[in-house]
Amino acid sequence: MANAPDVHICEAGPRDGLQNLDIFLPTEAKCALIDAIVAAGVREIDAGSFVPPKVVPQFADVEIVMAHALARKEAATIGALVPNFKGAERAIAAGVDAIYFVISASETHNQANVRRTIGEQLEGFRAVRAAIDARPVGNRPHLVGGISTAFGCSLEGRIGEGAVRRLAAAYAEAGADEIGLADTVGYATPPLIKQIVQGVRSDLGVAMSLRLHLHDTLGMGLANVVAGLEAGIHRFDAAVSGLGGCPFAPGARGNIVTEDLVFMLEEMGLSTGINLDRLMATRAILSAHIPARHLTGHLHEAGIPKALRRAA
Ligand code: COA
Ligand code: ZN
């Protein structure tokens, strides 16, 4: 891969973006979406979920989609969401580069999402770590400990900072390669982002890689990115056309819009390695199957980038 950009973006559209849709995006369209995302220069893709098809029917074809995505692994890290050991076994068998495990800081959301207590879910994480460590060095997926509802929960409300810090510390102790702080329902605000990131950093030190996964429910998604940057975060999840939401977290709106995020970062003088025009081309693939009411994005609506470039 080429030189690392200033900010690393993980495109979560093919996973978070699709998991809450009541429309099944045909397998070929999922593959075309991944191809277009890779062609835009994105370095990491959350390409699907290894969940039971009866829980999330959208990912009934995840093995096929993942094989397609992994054929592009020279260009991008290909990851998958995994909710339990069985999911990890499937992800490892598929050959994924990264596993995004999920535990919620909110006990209520954790039960709704994965039908386990937080403690039971941590046991599952340890088993996944052990399964990865049993593999040859050089053939071990990167293991991200995702903390869902880290900034609030639509079932429990505000989440105490202590709960998030304890879970992050437990993940670190259990061998997470990275911690993902997820604003699953989009309740974060810039000061809260700083507070939680600084708290986790002070517990775990700078050696532990952190990423932010943000939703734009309250319209603060990009402000939260800036707060994250100011707190030293350089890794963000986002979804093209602002798709996204958790089926077990009522009220969540879509992820921060990758196109708008790239535009903002580049305007701030931070490289992303992503070609915005090519990224914008993903819209056509989505529009062919998904009604317009599900698709957002200020740049798409305003058509700004081309006009700005002409003026430059
Ligand atoms: N992939 C495929 N099948 C799986 C599976 C997985 N990851 N995990 C469990 N199963 C199967 C089991 O083998 C079992 O099959 P059987 O009935 O034929 O024996 C069945 O599903 C029930 O297994 P169990 O361990 O009891 O699961 P559960 O019903 O308690 O559900 C989860 C637990 C974690 C699988 C489910 O809650 C889930 O998928 N949650 C994720 C939701 C999500 O995607 N949220 C959004 C992203 S954060
Ligand atoms: Zn999400």
Side-chain angles (χ1 to χ4, degrees):
M1 288 185 210
N3 288 344
D6 295 327
V7 178
H8 177 84
I9 295 177
C10 172
E11 172 54 51
R15 194 275 300 172
D16 197 321
L18 303 182
Q19 70 190 9
N20 205 22
L21 277 182
D22 49 9
I23 302 137
F24 183 81
L25 190 66
T27 308
E28 313 77 67
K30 289 181 180 124
C31 294
L33 176 63
I34 286 166
D35 289 348
I37 291 164
V38 171
V42 173
R43 314 287 180 97
E44 182 173 353
I45 304 177
D46 182 350
S49 266
F50 287 96
V51 293
K54 68 174 184 322
V55 178
V56 188
Q58 184 69 261
F59 300 120
D61 58 358
V62 64
E63 263 89 6
I64 301 169
V65 173
M66 213 52 72
H68 181 91
L70 282 161
R72 283 122 190 95
K73 67 188 283 170
E74 294 304 316
T77 297
I78 305 297
L81 183 132
V82 157
N84 61 3
F85 186 73
K86 169 105 193 218
E89 284 182 321
R90 292 173 64 202
I92 291 169
V96 301
D97 301 317
I99 286 180
Y100 315 118
F101 198 81
V102 282
I103 309 181
S104 307
S106 148
E107 192 73 65
T108 315
H109 181 261
N110 199 66
Q111 277 291 349
N113 196 38
V114 293
R115 302 178 201 157
R116 299 287 182 275
T117 64
I118 292 172
E120 288 166 342
Q121 200 58 3
L122 268 168
E123 281 308 307
F125 180 79
R126 289 192 189 94
V128 173
R129 177 74 266 172
I132 292 174
D133 288 346
R135 299 180 59 74
V137 178
N139 201 1
R140 295 177 182 167
H142 180 74
L143 181 58
V144 181
I147 302 183
S148 302
T149 64
F151 302 92
C153 170
S154 44
L155 306 168
E156 278 191 17
R158 283 272 174 241
I159 297 296
E161 182 188 337
V164 181
R165 289 173 67 168
R166 276 193 300 279
L167 185 48
Y171 260 139
E173 190 266 322
D177 297 317
E178 180 175 5
I179 307 259
L181 297 170
D183 187 18
T184 310
V185 289
Y187 288 178
T189 60
L192 195 55
I193 294 275
K194 286 191 177 171
Q195 183 191 332
I196 301 281
V197 168
Q198 282 161 2
V200 171
R201 272 246 187 283
S202 73
D203 295 338
L204 305 186
V206 289
M208 175 58 80
S209 178
L210 294 181
R211 70 170 65 191
L212 281 176
H213 174 100
L214 302 170
H215 284 255
D216 204 21
T217 311
L218 301 176
M220 293 194 201
L222 291 187
N224 290 336
V225 171
V226 175
L229 289 167
E230 287 174 1
I233 303 277
H234 290 94
R235 297 166 70 81
F236 296 91
D237 293 352
V240 285
S241 285
L243 285 168
C246 174
F248 303 97
R253 292 199 41 202
N255 286 271
I256 51 170
V257 182
T258 318
E259 296 89 326
D260 295 353
L261 173 65
V262 168
F263 179 73
M264 181 187 79
L265 292 171
E266 300 275 349
E267 285 287 306
M268 291 171 76
L270 297 169
S271 67
T272 62
I274 296 173
N275 178 305
L276 190 51
D277 286 327
R278 288 193 185 162
L279 193 66
M280 302 280 284
T282 56
R283 181 71 152 220
I285 298 165
L286 297 172
S287 298
H289 302 276
I290 299 171
R293 68 176 187 280
H294 294 295
L295 307 175
T296 62
H298 289 289
L299 293 185
H300 284 295
E301 280 152 32
I304 283 173
K306 279 209 175 87
L308 276 189
R309 269 174 227 164
R310 271 198 300 276

